[in-house]
Amino acid sequence: MAKKNKKQKAGMLKRKKQKQVKKAVQRRRSASRAPQQPTSERELHKLLQKIPILAYEQELDDLRFDKETMRPHLESNVPDPEVLKKALSDEFINDFQKRLKEMDIRTEGSMQKNLMVKGILYALDHDEMPYFINPLIVGIYLRSKAEIQGNTLDRSEILKAVEAYETTHMQFIEELVESMNDTEDEVLEEEALDDTIDDTIMETPQIDEELIEAFHQTLIGLDEDQQDRIKEDIEVFVEDYTTSPLEEWNAEMLDDFLGNWFVENLNPVVDDLVSMQSSLERFFKFLGESERIANEEIQKIIHVLEDKETYKERMMA
């Protein structure tokens, strides 16, 4: 039984990693968790699309992948994401991060540019985005590739070039992600059988998956983006924050989550906070209707979740 439980926890780790990588592939959301606050997600999305332009800033303008490493793979028509992976080295990543930190200091007076730099640094520090889909690393790779082929990739061309890289190789990128997950799964299974699963994972509460699935069924009728966002918000609360059984969830817990943990760990923008409160309100109303939490406590929880201004002020403080 113990071994079975450990395998289940290893499976939970795998699923969580899959979701993290999928989010990075689809929306590059990891880069959005930067400390500064854009005015809207639309503005943030526009900034993230411009990230490859940073490859032409003075700190990164001369940074290239090792061309002798790249050349034989390119000549063999190896897909670009695989060539990028093979050309990466610890020296490159360390140099890349060092230069970004220098750029971070230099661009402090330029809010938008500095936001982009902080976003990439955050993604690197938290290991949330595979290098072969990091838009800035991809931009540097494409500049290196162009020079090997005797061309020059100008600043005006880089955004379309990165977009073409992502579009052309999306299926291969997904296969690489799956391969990464399979490798990590093997490691996690070994760790589970050897009783070395991290203590924080061992503390993960046993949430009734049937209950979560029943909640997901209530979202049918919403558009796909709305469903994904609500599921994602609930996942953060249930899998990343909660450490107590469902029966013990209360208003004080929600206050701590919104006013402390959520802000300190995810550095959300205002739209993220509003979304989280709305998603949790829908979720806890469902729990109340399902009689999984006492109605009196549900009313207190809903009061916390409806209080948008208090938590905005605490987040912005």
Side-chain angles (χ1 to χ4, degrees):
M1 178 65 70
K3 289 186 178 181
K4 181 178 180 181
N5 289 338
K6 292 169 186 175
K7 287 184 178 180
Q8 289 175 339
K9 293 178 174 65
M12 185 183 300
L13 278 175
K14 178 191 175 183
R15 291 193 297 273
K16 184 178 292 187
K17 185 63 177 179
Q18 286 176 325
K19 291 172 183 176
Q20 289 175 340
V21 176
K22 182 178 180 181
K23 293 169 194 172
V25 173
Q26 293 176 334
R27 289 183 267 178
R28 303 175 185 165
R29 287 195 65 190
S30 58
S32 73
R33 302 300 189 183
Q36 299 184 45
Q37 307 297 327
T39 58
S40 69
E41 285 201 356
R42 184 177 181 181
E43 176 186 341
L44 181 59
H45 181 66
K46 289 181 179 179
L47 284 177
L48 297 179
Q49 288 181 318
K50 297 178 182 178
I51 281 178
I53 295 176
L54 295 177
Y56 296 84
E57 291 291 315
Q58 63 189 47
E59 290 84 1
L60 298 177
D61 195 33
D62 64 341
L63 181 60
R64 298 289 186 275
F65 283 85
D66 182 67
K67 296 174 184 177
E68 296 308 311
T69 301
M70 290 177 57
R71 195 184 307 277
H73 300 300
L74 292 173
E75 291 174 351
S76 300
N77 294 319
V78 174
D80 283 318
E82 186 66 30
V83 179
L84 191 158
K85 280 186 62 182
K86 293 179 181 296
L88 271 173
S89 65
D90 291 340
E91 291 76 15
F92 177 91
I93 294 300
N94 291 336
D95 189 23
F96 178 61
Q97 287 185 293
K98 178 182 178 182
R99 293 174 184 234
L100 276 176
K101 289 175 182 178
E102 293 172 356
M103 192 189 305
D104 183 29
I105 295 172
R106 179 177 64 82
T107 59
E108 285 182 351
S110 176
M111 179 178 176
Q112 292 191 346
K113 188 176 294 184
N114 190 251
L115 178 61
M116 291 190 286
V117 175
K118 289 185 183 299
I120 291 296
L121 281 171
Y122 183 93
L124 292 172
D125 290 343
H126 292 76
D127 193 26
E128 292 185 354
M129 184 185 296
Y131 295 136
F132 53 85
I133 59 170
N134 184 302
L136 185 49
I137 292 179
V138 170
I140 295 170
Y141 165 80
L142 293 175
R143 293 189 73 186
S144 304
K145 177 183 176 181
E147 291 178 4
I148 291 175
Q149 297 174 336
N151 302 316
T152 300
L153 189 60
D154 294 331
R155 180 189 179 98
S156 61
E157 303 171 308
I158 191 65
L159 296 184
K160 288 185 177 180
V162 172
E163 182 180 358
Y165 168 97
E166 295 174 343
T167 302
T168 302
H169 301 293
M170 180 54 68
Q171 182 177 349
F172 186 75
I173 287 171
E174 291 176 352
E175 291 173 357
L176 281 179
V177 169
E178 186 62 32
S179 175
M180 289 170 55
N181 290 333
D182 289 343
T183 301
E184 289 171 2
D185 185 44
E186 292 176 4
V187 174
L188 290 172
E189 289 287 350
E190 290 178 5
E191 290 178 346
L193 293 173
D194 291 338
D195 198 23
T196 56
I197 291 289
D198 188 272
D199 288 341
T200 59
I201 300 300
M202 296 296 286
E203 294 171 359
T204 302
Q206 296 298 314
I207 302 300
D208 186 347
E209 292 188 7
E210 292 184 1
L211 183 64
I212 294 295
E213 181 58 33
F215 171 68
H216 288 172
Q217 292 299 311
T218 69
L219 305 179
I220 295 175
L222 301 177
D223 65 49
E224 187 175 346
D225 287 342
Q226 285 180 302
Q227 290 189 45
D228 287 346
R229 187 63 182 260
I230 292 171
K231 291 177 182 178
E232 188 176 290
D233 287 341
I234 301 307
E235 176 187 306
V236 169
F237 176 75
V238 171
E239 295 189 11
D240 298 342
Y241 172 77
T242 58
T243 58
S244 56
L246 172 62
E247 294 73 17
E248 297 179 10
W249 294 1
N250 54 40
E252 289 75 14
M253 176 182 179
L254 269 296
D255 177 73
D256 175 68
F257 173 72
L258 293 172
N260 298 307
W261 189 94
F262 184 61
V263 174
E264 294 170 1
N265 287 274
L266 299 184
N267 295 308
V269 296
V270 171
D271 283 352
D272 291 329
L273 178 64
V274 172
S275 171
M276 178 60 74
Q277 286 183 277
S278 297
S279 298
L280 287 173
E281 183 177 347
R282 179 184 289 266
F283 182 53
F284 275 93
K285 285 181 178 178
F286 165 79
L287 293 178
E289 293 168 358
S290 302
E291 299 182 348
R292 299 302 294 267
I293 298 179
N295 184 64
E296 181 180 354
E297 193 61 44
I298 286 290
Q299 295 306 313
K300 295 178 183 178
I301 290 172
I302 297 302
H303 178 72
V304 169
L305 296 174
E306 288 179 342
D307 187 358
K308 302 294 192 293
E309 293 304 316
T310 292
Y311 295 98
K312 283 184 187 177
E313 291 174 2
R314 288 169 67 174
M315 186 185 78
M316 302 299 290

